[in-house]
Amino acid sequence: MDLNRATILGRLTRDPEVRTTPNGRSVASLSVATNRVWINQNTGTKEEKVEFHNCVLWGKLAEIAGQYLSKGRRVYVEGRLETRNWTGQDGNKRYRTEIIVDNMIMLDGPRGNVGASESYDNDSVPLPSDEVIEEEIKVEDIPF
């Protein structure tokens, strides 16, 4: 049995970009920064390294992210790693590894209030298909 699972807790580096596929399904792209802090054993100074993670959300999760997330907000995401490749305009092969998110928890409340969190998930986030899934999101359904 194999396992492809990524868990990230960090801050958004930019507002989510939400688009709609030709068949009407929502898709959002966002970038999450995580950092690691340690003490350099040789110098005794505190050092930090930041990693940036590209995330893709589909369907209702994409719509919620676009509506409620913004740059600087803390977010917890879970999903699977997927690497795409393509040939760039210069003829070189390009690669991009992304987290295809199926669970998201917004850790800051509205306007960055610490302590408030909301969790959303998709049981199984499929890749885009010709099938159109119609889900209506009402403000009353959002628990905050």
Side-chain angles (χ1 to χ4, degrees), residues 11 73-74 106-117 144:
R11 292 195 180 274
R73 294 261 328 248
R74 290 180 62 229
M106 294 181 282
L107 297 172
D108 294 334
R111 301 185 203 348
N113 295 333
V114 177
S117 68
F144 61 90

Side-chain angles (χ1 to χ4, degrees), residues 4 10 13 42 46 57 64 75 77 83 88 90-91 103 127 129 134:
N4 177 354
T13 63
N42 297 329
K46 185 167 125 177
L57 298 84
I64 291 169
V75 66
V77 295
T83 301
D90 58 2
N103 184 28
L127 291 175
S129 66
E134 293 186 19

Side-chain angles (χ1 to χ4, degrees), residues 3-133:
L3 178 65
N4 177 354
R5 197 78 183 148
T7 303
I8 302 295
L9 190 156
R11 292 195 180 274
L12 267 64
T13 63
R14 57 184 163 81
D15 291 347
E17 296 175 21
V18 182
R19 299 171 305 285
T20 304
T21 63
N23 63 12
R25 191 147 185 230
S26 297
V27 58
S29 302
L30 52 93
S31 178
V32 178
T34 58
N35 66 335
R36 181 172 71 96
V37 179
W38 71 95
I39 303 296
N40 184 316
Q41 296 298 321
N42 297 329
T43 63
T45 60
K46 185 167 125 177
E47 295 189 21
E48 179 177 8
K49 179 171 173 44
V50 179
E51 292 287 336
F52 299 94
H53 311 276
N54 299 308
C55 301
V56 177
L57 298 84
W58 289 96
K60 188 173 182 177
L61 269 183
E63 294 171 14
I64 291 169
Q67 189 171 3
Y68 294 102
L69 292 179
S70 58
K71 180 179 177 178
R73 294 261 328 248
R74 290 180 62 229
V75 66
Y76 169 93
V77 295
E78 291 180 328
R80 71 181 188 279
L81 291 176
E82 191 169 289
T83 301
R84 297 186 290 128
N85 64 66
W86 68 96
T87 303
Q89 293 179 347
D90 58 2
N92 291 330
K93 193 141 188 161
R94 309 263 187 220
Y95 297 90
R96 181 178 178 107
T97 300
E98 301 167 319
I99 300 171
I100 309 301
V101 177
D102 57 25
N103 184 28
M104 172 181 73
I105 300 173
M106 294 181 282
L107 297 172
D108 294 334
R111 301 185 203 348
N113 295 333
V114 177
S117 68
E118 299 300 331
S119 175
Y120 299 93
D121 66 10
N122 286 342
D123 292 330
S124 175
V125 180
L127 291 175
S129 66
D130 294 331
E131 178 182 320
V132 176
I133 300 172

